[in-house]
Amino acid sequence: MDRCVVLVDAGYLLGAAASLLAGDSSRSKVTVDHTALIAALRERAEAETGLPLLRIYWFDAAPERRPMPEHRRLRVLPRVTVRLGALTRAEGRWVQKGVDAAMHAELSELARNRACSDVVLITGDGDLLPGMMSAKEHGVVVHLWALQAADGDFNQSEDLVGEADERRVLDREWIEGSFSLRDTSSVFPGPGARHDIAKILSAPPAAPPAALPGPLPAAQVPGGPAADEPAAAPAGTAAPAAAVNGGPQPAAAGLKVVPTPKDLAGRSADRQAAVAQQQNGQQNGQQQTGPVLRWSSDRGWIDRPVAEPAVTAGDGLPTLAQLTTAEQRWADREEDITSIGGDAHEVGQVFARRWTSRIGDAERLTVLWPGYPRIPHRVDGELLRYAARFGLLAHKDDQIDEHDRYAIRAGFWKELAARVPGGDLVVDD
């Protein structure tokens, strides 16, 4: 039949593009505009073969053969079929299983059934040589496309190059039409510069501020030092020896004191008498004033008050699952499969849109703004579970992708800011 088919080895295509643009074959180094890429492949294939396109087959691998976000974006595009092999961990690196076999089987089946007259192969793997030879025997013209190599040399099997009927090289200009270097900056600004702990601890003692006129005695100040603890030295005098040797050293102005184990040990020794008094007072029916620091070499346990988790008004809001009917759940799943690409930011927006529309009164959600950027615990867990359906938050190189986690929540807040009164004052685009 007078049609052409394109078979894409995604590992080769994305790896070669990353090597050319970023100098590294890791596909995480580049961003792909899949819509533009598919359109460019179709246009180029129809121009090279002079035939209309039947279909583009995209062969890739994924953990447990579950579609990742890019696969979900691709499979909803017209004339695109995604075939997935398995992605497994072997000897500390990811290995594709079944991709070459799937390409070989598809190529042979298309040729045997005369589904097309021309096949465009975008691959560099010599394992496809038998499939190419079989297709040629059935009268199919095989076009082999390569990507421009970073070092100017071949990045394909010489046997494939020798067996192909036609060969073309996709140059840098063509590649840059749908590939770009990935922006590695985080969705949220990075943390500020960390304090140099060694510098803080070695800083000279700072003089305490001058006493204000008519201060209250230290024992009468709420939250002040205990009566049996030494008071602060007046301005211009040397610090007490206990404070210098046993307690934490005062830091320079603007720096936070971080006590060392030695400081804590000295502080604990100075308070032993106070601890004994507290224990005696507890036996006499009095309440202990606070916890006691103990080292791991000491025996016994000290009961300490457990801090209650902070509860905000947003924790009382219903979850999306509680607001969703069975019919809506089916429609949501259908939308997820057919039209949601799986981008992390998009996933957060879709979740927020559904939650906002089903809660009815958007005014109820204004209680979220005082706690921004904290998402209520139950809703946040539901949001991340929803994102996991799209392959987000999966283990990549044995590390959870925190960038996706930030992007999901950023999308959630951005959508809420557009729908809930007062959000424009909190969420900064």
Side-chain angles (χ1 to χ4, degrees), residues 160-192:
L160 282 182
V161 174
E163 190 68 25
D165 295 310
E166 302 283 348
R167 184 173 185 268
R168 296 288 183 271
V169 176
L170 305 176
D171 58 14
R172 175 185 287 270
E173 182 180 357
W174 187 92
I175 295 170
E176 289 177 343
S178 49
F179 289 85
S180 60
L181 291 175
R182 182 181 294 274
D183 181 10
T184 56
S185 61
S186 177
V187 175
F188 291 113

PDB file of all heavy atoms in Angstrom, residues 160-192:
ATOM      1  N   LEU A 160      23.691  -1.460   9.640  1.00  0.00           N
ATOM      2  CA  LEU A 160      22.423  -0.820   9.294  1.00  0.00           C
ATOM      3  C   LEU A 160      22.618   0.188   8.168  1.00  0.00           C
ATOM      4  O   LEU A 160      21.817   0.263   7.228  1.00  0.00           O
ATOM      5  CB  LEU A 160      21.842  -0.114  10.520  1.00  0.00           C
ATOM      6  CG  LEU A 160      21.139  -0.938  11.586  1.00  0.00           C
ATOM      7  CD1 LEU A 160      20.610  -0.018  12.678  1.00  0.00           C
ATOM      8  CD2 LEU A 160      20.003  -1.740  10.992  1.00  0.00           C
ATOM      9  N   VAL A 161      23.675   0.969   8.274  1.00  0.00           N
ATOM     10  CA  VAL A 161      23.942   1.986   7.256  1.00  0.00           C
ATOM     11  C   VAL A 161      24.147   1.332   5.895  1.00  0.00           C
ATOM     12  O   VAL A 161      23.648   1.808   4.870  1.00  0.00           O
ATOM     13  CB  VAL A 161      25.172   2.826   7.655  1.00  0.00           C
ATOM     14  CG1 VAL A 161      25.561   3.787   6.542  1.00  0.00           C
ATOM     15  CG2 VAL A 161      24.894   3.590   8.943  1.00  0.00           C
ATOM     16  N   GLY A 162      24.857   0.207   5.888  1.00  0.00           N
ATOM     17  CA  GLY A 162      25.125  -0.470   4.617  1.00  0.00           C
ATOM     18  C   GLY A 162      23.908  -1.138   4.016  1.00  0.00           C
ATOM     19  O   GLY A 162      23.820  -1.299   2.794  1.00  0.00           O
ATOM     20  N   GLU A 163      22.942  -1.544   4.840  1.00  0.00           N
ATOM     21  CA  GLU A 163      21.770  -2.273   4.349  1.00  0.00           C
ATOM     22  C   GLU A 163      20.620  -1.352   3.958  1.00  0.00           C
ATOM     23  O   GLU A 163      19.726  -1.752   3.201  1.00  0.00           O
ATOM     24  CB  GLU A 163      21.298  -3.246   5.434  1.00  0.00           C
ATOM     25  CG  GLU A 163      20.242  -4.240   4.984  1.00  0.00           C
ATOM     26  CD  GLU A 163      20.792  -5.263   3.982  1.00  0.00           C
ATOM     27  OE1 GLU A 163      22.016  -5.512   3.989  1.00  0.00           O
ATOM     28  OE2 GLU A 163      19.978  -5.807   3.194  1.00  0.00           O
ATOM     29  N   ALA A 164      20.588  -0.114   4.449  1.00  0.00           N
ATOM     30  CA  ALA A 164      19.456   0.782   4.197  1.00  0.00           C
ATOM     31  C   ALA A 164      19.398   1.187   2.725  1.00  0.00           C
ATOM     32  O   ALA A 164      20.424   1.301   2.042  1.00  0.00           O
ATOM     33  CB  ALA A 164      19.569   2.024   5.073  1.00  0.00           C
ATOM     34  N   ASP A 165      18.168   1.389   2.223  1.00  0.00           N
ATOM     35  CA  ASP A 165      17.988   1.868   0.856  1.00  0.00           C
ATOM     36  C   ASP A 165      18.316   3.355   0.747  1.00  0.00           C
ATOM     37  O   ASP A 165      18.894   3.805  -0.235  1.00  0.00           O
ATOM     38  CB  ASP A 165      16.538   1.619   0.411  1.00  0.00           C
ATOM     39  CG  ASP A 165      16.210   0.138   0.328  1.00  0.00           C
ATOM     40  OD1 ASP A 165      16.975  -0.610  -0.305  1.00  0.00           O
ATOM     41  OD2 ASP A 165      15.196  -0.282   0.926  1.00  0.00           O
ATOM     42  N   GLU A 166      17.888   4.127   1.722  1.00  0.00           N
ATOM     43  CA  GLU A 166      18.149   5.567   1.753  1.00  0.00           C
ATOM     44  C   GLU A 166      18.621   5.941   3.157  1.00  0.00           C
ATOM     45  O   GLU A 166      18.197   5.340   4.143  1.00  0.00           O
ATOM     46  CB  GLU A 166      16.888   6.371   1.420  1.00  0.00           C
ATOM     47  CG  GLU A 166      16.269   6.063   0.066  1.00  0.00           C
ATOM     48  CD  GLU A 166      17.040   6.709  -1.076  1.00  0.00           C
ATOM     49  OE1 GLU A 166      17.907   7.569  -0.799  1.00  0.00           O
ATOM     50  OE2 GLU A 166      16.771   6.352  -2.246  1.00  0.00           O
ATOM     51  N   ARG A 167      19.491   6.934   3.229  1.00  0.00           N
ATOM     52  CA  ARG A 167      19.948   7.389   4.541  1.00  0.00           C
ATOM     53  C   ARG A 167      19.987   8.901   4.563  1.00  0.00           C
ATOM     54  O   ARG A 167      20.447   9.538   3.617  1.00  0.00           O
ATOM     55  CB  ARG A 167      21.334   6.839   4.872  1.00  0.00           C
ATOM     56  CG  ARG A 167      21.808   7.226   6.281  1.00  0.00           C
ATOM     57  CD  ARG A 167      23.111   6.538   6.650  1.00  0.00           C
ATOM     58  NE  ARG A 167      23.487   6.811   8.026  1.00  0.00           N
ATOM     59  CZ  ARG A 167      24.273   7.820   8.400  1.00  0.00           C
ATOM     60  NH1 ARG A 167      24.752   8.661   7.481  1.00  0.00           N
ATOM     61  NH2 ARG A 167      24.575   8.002   9.669  1.00  0.00           N
ATOM     62  N   ARG A 168      19.467   9.472   5.661  1.00  0.00           N
ATOM     63  CA  ARG A 168      19.475  10.913   5.860  1.00  0.00           C
ATOM     64  C   ARG A 168      19.992  11.214   7.261  1.00  0.00           C
ATOM     65  O   ARG A 168      19.873  10.392   8.181  1.00  0.00           O
ATOM     66  CB  ARG A 168      18.071  11.507   5.691  1.00  0.00           C
ATOM     67  CG  ARG A 168      17.482  11.365   4.312  1.00  0.00           C
ATOM     68  CD  ARG A 168      18.181  12.286   3.311  1.00  0.00           C
ATOM     69  NE  ARG A 168      17.562  12.207   1.999  1.00  0.00           N
ATOM     70  CZ  ARG A 168      17.905  11.339   1.053  1.00  0.00           C
ATOM     71  NH1 ARG A 168      18.868  10.453   1.295  1.00  0.00           N
ATOM     72  NH2 ARG A 168      17.296  11.334  -0.108  1.00  0.00           N
ATOM     73  N   VAL A 169      20.554  12.397   7.415  1.00  0.00           N
ATOM     74  CA  VAL A 169      21.035  12.843   8.722  1.00  0.00           C
ATOM     75  C   VAL A 169      20.234  14.067   9.132  1.00  0.00           C
ATOM     76  O   VAL A 169      20.150  15.040   8.379  1.00  0.00           O
ATOM     77  CB  VAL A 169      22.542  13.179   8.683  1.00  0.00           C
ATOM     78  CG1 VAL A 169      22.987  13.733  10.042  1.00  0.00           C
ATOM     79  CG2 VAL A 169      23.361  11.949   8.309  1.00  0.00           C
ATOM     80  N   LEU A 170      19.617  14.000  10.318  1.00  0.00           N
ATOM     81  CA  LEU A 170      18.885  15.133  10.880  1.00  0.00           C
ATOM     82  C   LEU A 170      19.897  16.035  11.580  1.00  0.00           C
ATOM     83  O   LEU A 170      20.504  15.636  12.576  1.00  0.00           O
ATOM     84  CB  LEU A 170      17.818  14.640  11.865  1.00  0.00           C
ATOM     85  CG  LEU A 170      16.833  13.604  11.304  1.00  0.00           C
ATOM     86  CD1 LEU A 170      15.880  13.127  12.398  1.00  0.00           C
ATOM     87  CD2 LEU A 170      16.065  14.168  10.127  1.00  0.00           C
ATOM     88  N   ASP A 171      20.081  17.245  11.051  1.00  0.00           N
ATOM     89  CA  ASP A 171      21.133  18.108  11.545  1.00  0.00           C
ATOM     90  C   ASP A 171      20.708  18.882  12.788  1.00  0.00           C
ATOM     91  O   ASP A 171      19.562  18.787  13.261  1.00  0.00           O
ATOM     92  CB  ASP A 171      21.612  19.060  10.449  1.00  0.00           C
ATOM     93  CG  ASP A 171      20.484  19.933   9.903  1.00  0.00           C
ATOM     94  OD1 ASP A 171      19.411  20.003  10.544  1.00  0.00           O
ATOM     95  OD2 ASP A 171      20.664  20.537   8.828  1.00  0.00           O
ATOM     96  N   ARG A 172      21.645  19.662  13.329  1.00  0.00           N
ATOM     97  CA  ARG A 172      21.401  20.414  14.552  1.00  0.00           C
ATOM     98  C   ARG A 172      20.217  21.376  14.391  1.00  0.00           C
ATOM     99  O   ARG A 172      19.403  21.519  15.310  1.00  0.00           O
ATOM    100  CB  ARG A 172      22.650  21.194  14.954  1.00  0.00           C
ATOM    101  CG  ARG A 172      22.452  22.100  16.169  1.00  0.00           C
ATOM    102  CD  ARG A 172      23.683  22.932  16.435  1.00  0.00           C
ATOM    103  NE  ARG A 172      24.763  22.150  16.987  1.00  0.00           N
ATOM    104  CZ  ARG A 172      24.964  21.964  18.289  1.00  0.00           C
ATOM    105  NH1 ARG A 172      24.139  22.517  19.173  1.00  0.00           N
ATOM    106  NH2 ARG A 172      25.980  21.258  18.723  1.00  0.00           N
ATOM    107  N   GLU A 173      20.107  22.040  13.259  1.00  0.00           N
ATOM    108  CA  GLU A 173      19.017  22.994  13.063  1.00  0.00           C
ATOM    109  C   GLU A 173      17.665  22.312  13.168  1.00  0.00           C
ATOM    110  O   GLU A 173      16.733  22.839  13.782  1.00  0.00           O
ATOM    111  CB  GLU A 173      19.175  23.679  11.703  1.00  0.00           C
ATOM    112  CG  GLU A 173      18.112  24.733  11.424  1.00  0.00           C
ATOM    113  CD  GLU A 173      18.300  25.384  10.071  1.00  0.00           C
ATOM    114  OE1 GLU A 173      19.291  25.054   9.370  1.00  0.00           O
ATOM    115  OE2 GLU A 173      17.455  26.227   9.699  1.00  0.00           O
ATOM    116  N   TRP A 174      17.555  21.117  12.573  1.00  0.00           N
ATOM    117  CA  TRP A 174      16.286  20.377  12.647  1.00  0.00           C
ATOM    118  C   TRP A 174      16.012  19.950  14.086  1.00  0.00           C
ATOM    119  O   TRP A 174      14.881  20.029  14.573  1.00  0.00           O
ATOM    120  CB  TRP A 174      16.353  19.150  11.729  1.00  0.00           C
ATOM    121  CG  TRP A 174      15.046  18.428  11.617  1.00  0.00           C
ATOM    122  CD1 TRP A 174      14.078  18.622  10.690  1.00  0.00           C
ATOM    123  CD2 TRP A 174      14.567  17.375  12.479  1.00  0.00           C
ATOM    124  NE1 TRP A 174      13.019  17.781  10.916  1.00  0.00           N
ATOM    125  CE2 TRP A 174      13.290  17.002  12.007  1.00  0.00           C
ATOM    126  CE3 TRP A 174      15.071  16.730  13.596  1.00  0.00           C
ATOM    127  CZ2 TRP A 174      12.531  16.007  12.615  1.00  0.00           C
ATOM    128  CZ3 TRP A 174      14.314  15.745  14.205  1.00  0.00           C
ATOM    129  CH2 TRP A 174      13.064  15.386  13.719  1.00  0.00           C
ATOM    130  N   ILE A 175      17.047  19.499  14.774  1.00  0.00           N
ATOM    131  CA  ILE A 175      16.874  19.020  16.151  1.00  0.00           C
ATOM    132  C   ILE A 175      16.440  20.155  17.068  1.00  0.00           C
ATOM    133  O   ILE A 175      15.562  19.985  17.932  1.00  0.00           O
ATOM    134  CB  ILE A 175      18.180  18.371  16.647  1.00  0.00           C
ATOM    135  CG1 ILE A 175      18.483  17.109  15.835  1.00  0.00           C
ATOM    136  CG2 ILE A 175      18.099  18.041  18.130  1.00  0.00           C
ATOM    137  CD1 ILE A 175      19.861  16.551  16.081  1.00  0.00           C
ATOM    138  N   GLU A 176      17.038  21.330  16.894  1.00  0.00           N
ATOM    139  CA  GLU A 176      16.710  22.450  17.772  1.00  0.00           C
ATOM    140  C   GLU A 176      15.294  22.966  17.558  1.00  0.00           C
ATOM    141  O   GLU A 176      14.806  23.760  18.365  1.00  0.00           O
ATOM    142  CB  GLU A 176      17.716  23.585  17.549  1.00  0.00           C
ATOM    143  CG  GLU A 176      19.104  23.270  18.079  1.00  0.00           C
ATOM    144  CD  GLU A 176      20.103  24.369  17.789  1.00  0.00           C
ATOM    145  OE1 GLU A 176      19.802  25.220  16.912  1.00  0.00           O
ATOM    146  OE2 GLU A 176      21.183  24.392  18.421  1.00  0.00           O
ATOM    147  N   GLY A 177      14.622  22.514  16.499  1.00  0.00           N
ATOM    148  CA  GLY A 177      13.232  22.906  16.296  1.00  0.00           C
ATOM    149  C   GLY A 177      12.288  22.325  17.328  1.00  0.00           C
ATOM    150  O   GLY A 177      11.199  22.883  17.566  1.00  0.00           O
ATOM    151  N   SER A 178      12.668  21.214  17.971  1.00  0.00           N
ATOM    152  CA  SER A 178      11.790  20.593  18.971  1.00  0.00           C
ATOM    153  C   SER A 178      12.515  20.191  20.246  1.00  0.00           C
ATOM    154  O   SER A 178      11.882  19.710  21.185  1.00  0.00           O
ATOM    155  CB  SER A 178      11.100  19.355  18.371  1.00  0.00           C
ATOM    156  OG  SER A 178      12.030  18.510  17.720  1.00  0.00           O
ATOM    157  N   PHE A 179      13.830  20.392  20.309  1.00  0.00           N
ATOM    158  CA  PHE A 179      14.605  20.079  21.509  1.00  0.00           C
ATOM    159  C   PHE A 179      15.241  21.356  22.035  1.00  0.00           C
ATOM    160  O   PHE A 179      15.636  22.238  21.262  1.00  0.00           O
ATOM    161  CB  PHE A 179      15.724  19.069  21.211  1.00  0.00           C
ATOM    162  CG  PHE A 179      15.255  17.677  20.933  1.00  0.00           C
ATOM    163  CD1 PHE A 179      14.867  17.308  19.651  1.00  0.00           C
ATOM    164  CD2 PHE A 179      15.195  16.727  21.941  1.00  0.00           C
ATOM    165  CE1 PHE A 179      14.439  16.023  19.375  1.00  0.00           C
ATOM    166  CE2 PHE A 179      14.769  15.437  21.681  1.00  0.00           C
ATOM    167  CZ  PHE A 179      14.382  15.076  20.391  1.00  0.00           C
ATOM    168  N   SER A 180      15.372  21.438  23.341  1.00  0.00           N
ATOM    169  CA  SER A 180      16.066  22.558  23.970  1.00  0.00           C
ATOM    170  C   SER A 180      16.703  22.066  25.255  1.00  0.00           C
ATOM    171  O   SER A 180      16.285  21.049  25.827  1.00  0.00           O
ATOM    172  CB  SER A 180      15.100  23.717  24.262  1.00  0.00           C
ATOM    173  OG  SER A 180      14.063  23.303  25.127  1.00  0.00           O
ATOM    174  N   LEU A 181      17.718  22.784  25.712  1.00  0.00           N
ATOM    175  CA  LEU A 181      18.368  22.419  26.968  1.00  0.00           C
ATOM    176  C   LEU A 181      17.401  22.623  28.121  1.00  0.00           C
ATOM    177  O   LEU A 181      16.658  23.606  28.161  1.00  0.00           O
ATOM    178  CB  LEU A 181      19.624  23.259  27.181  1.00  0.00           C
ATOM    179  CG  LEU A 181      20.791  22.976  26.231  1.00  0.00           C
ATOM    180  CD1 LEU A 181      21.923  23.955  26.486  1.00  0.00           C
ATOM    181  CD2 LEU A 181      21.286  21.544  26.405  1.00  0.00           C
ATOM    182  N   ARG A 182      17.404  21.705  29.055  1.00  0.00           N
ATOM    183  CA  ARG A 182      16.497  21.782  30.193  1.00  0.00           C
ATOM    184  C   ARG A 182      16.951  22.862  31.161  1.00  0.00           C
ATOM    185  O   ARG A 182      18.129  22.990  31.464  1.00  0.00           O
ATOM    186  CB  ARG A 182      16.426  20.440  30.919  1.00  0.00           C
ATOM    187  CG  ARG A 182      15.458  20.423  32.101  1.00  0.00           C
ATOM    188  CD  ARG A 182      15.455  19.081  32.790  1.00  0.00           C
ATOM    189  NE  ARG A 182      14.927  18.050  31.919  1.00  0.00           N
ATOM    190  CZ  ARG A 182      13.638  17.773  31.788  1.00  0.00           C
ATOM    191  NH1 ARG A 182      12.742  18.459  32.476  1.00  0.00           N
ATOM    192  NH2 ARG A 182      13.229  16.817  30.973  1.00  0.00           N
ATOM    193  N   ASP A 183      15.966  23.623  31.651  1.00  0.00           N
ATOM    194  CA  ASP A 183      16.235  24.615  32.684  1.00  0.00           C
ATOM    195  C   ASP A 183      16.244  23.898  34.023  1.00  0.00           C
ATOM    196  O   ASP A 183      15.215  23.398  34.480  1.00  0.00           O
ATOM    197  CB  ASP A 183      15.161  25.701  32.664  1.00  0.00           C
ATOM    198  CG  ASP A 183      15.411  26.782  33.700  1.00  0.00           C
ATOM    199  OD1 ASP A 183      16.504  26.776  34.285  1.00  0.00           O
ATOM    200  OD2 ASP A 183      14.512  27.623  33.895  1.00  0.00           O
ATOM    201  N   THR A 184      17.402  23.825  34.656  1.00  0.00           N
ATOM    202  CA  THR A 184      17.530  23.059  35.902  1.00  0.00           C
ATOM    203  C   THR A 184      17.174  23.862  37.130  1.00  0.00           C
ATOM    204  O   THR A 184      17.230  23.344  38.242  1.00  0.00           O
ATOM    205  CB  THR A 184      18.969  22.547  36.060  1.00  0.00           C
ATOM    206  OG1 THR A 184      19.871  23.665  36.004  1.00  0.00           O
ATOM    207  CG2 THR A 184      19.314  21.582  34.930  1.00  0.00           C
ATOM    208  N   SER A 185      16.809  25.131  36.962  1.00  0.00           N
ATOM    209  CA  SER A 185      16.424  25.920  38.137  1.00  0.00           C
ATOM    210  C   SER A 185      15.132  25.380  38.713  1.00  0.00           C
ATOM    211  O   SER A 185      14.232  24.968  37.993  1.00  0.00           O
ATOM    212  CB  SER A 185      16.257  27.389  37.756  1.00  0.00           C
ATOM    213  OG  SER A 185      15.250  27.532  36.784  1.00  0.00           O
ATOM    214  N   SER A 186      15.022  25.400  40.030  1.00  0.00           N
ATOM    215  CA  SER A 186      13.846  24.869  40.716  1.00  0.00           C
ATOM    216  C   SER A 186      12.637  25.762  40.497  1.00  0.00           C
ATOM    217  O   SER A 186      12.741  26.945  40.197  1.00  0.00           O
ATOM    218  CB  SER A 186      14.122  24.737  42.210  1.00  0.00           C
ATOM    219  OG  SER A 186      12.980  24.288  42.896  1.00  0.00           O
ATOM    220  N   VAL A 187      11.456  25.157  40.625  1.00  0.00           N
ATOM    221  CA  VAL A 187      10.221  25.922  40.511  1.00  0.00           C
ATOM    222  C   VAL A 187      10.168  26.991  41.586  1.00  0.00           C
ATOM    223  O   VAL A 187       9.749  28.123  41.352  1.00  0.00           O
ATOM    224  CB  VAL A 187       9.010  24.977  40.633  1.00  0.00           C
ATOM    225  CG1 VAL A 187       7.712  25.776  40.636  1.00  0.00           C
ATOM    226  CG2 VAL A 187       9.004  23.978  39.484  1.00  0.00           C
ATOM    227  N   PHE A 188      10.585  26.656  42.793  1.00  0.00           N
ATOM    228  CA  PHE A 188      10.656  27.615  43.878  1.00  0.00           C
ATOM    229  C   PHE A 188      12.099  28.084  44.026  1.00  0.00           C
ATOM    230  O   PHE A 188      13.036  27.351  43.715  1.00  0.00           O
ATOM    231  CB  PHE A 188      10.184  26.988  45.193  1.00  0.00           C
ATOM    232  CG  PHE A 188       8.726  26.705  45.223  1.00  0.00           C
ATOM    233  CD1 PHE A 188       8.262  25.395  45.253  1.00  0.00           C
ATOM    234  CD2 PHE A 188       7.806  27.728  45.203  1.00  0.00           C
ATOM    235  CE1 PHE A 188       6.905  25.134  45.279  1.00  0.00           C
ATOM    236  CE2 PHE A 188       6.454  27.473  45.233  1.00  0.00           C
ATOM    237  CZ  PHE A 188       6.008  26.181  45.272  1.00  0.00           C
ATOM    238  N   PRO A 189      12.340  29.280  44.480  1.00  0.00           N
ATOM    239  CA  PRO A 189      13.717  29.733  44.657  1.00  0.00           C
ATOM    240  C   PRO A 189      14.445  28.846  45.651  1.00  0.00           C
ATOM    241  O   PRO A 189      13.857  28.349  46.613  1.00  0.00           O
ATOM    242  CB  PRO A 189      13.556  31.161  45.194  1.00  0.00           C
ATOM    243  CG  PRO A 189      12.172  31.239  45.731  1.00  0.00           C
ATOM    244  CD  PRO A 189      11.361  30.294  44.901  1.00  0.00           C
ATOM    245  N   GLY A 190      15.725  28.635  45.396  1.00  0.00           N
ATOM    246  CA  GLY A 190      16.522  27.780  46.250  1.00  0.00           C
ATOM    247  C   GLY A 190      16.722  28.387  47.617  1.00  0.00           C
ATOM    248  O   GLY A 190      16.501  29.579  47.832  1.00  0.00           O
ATOM    249  N   PRO A 191      17.122  27.587  48.591  1.00  0.00           N
ATOM    250  CA  PRO A 191      17.347  28.122  49.939  1.00  0.00           C
ATOM    251  C   PRO A 191      18.508  29.097  49.948  1.00  0.00           C
ATOM    252  O   PRO A 191      19.399  29.050  49.108  1.00  0.00           O
ATOM    253  CB  PRO A 191      17.676  26.865  50.758  1.00  0.00           C
ATOM    254  CG  PRO A 191      18.177  25.877  49.755  1.00  0.00           C
ATOM    255  CD  PRO A 191      17.437  26.168  48.479  1.00  0.00           C
ATOM    256  N   GLY A 192      18.475  30.013  50.908  1.00  0.00           N
ATOM    257  CA  GLY A 192      19.544  30.992  51.022  1.00  0.00           C
ATOM    258  C   GLY A 192      20.844  30.334  51.454  1.00  0.00           C
ATOM    259  O   GLY A 192      20.907  29.140  51.735  1.00  0.00           O
TER     260      GLY A 192
END
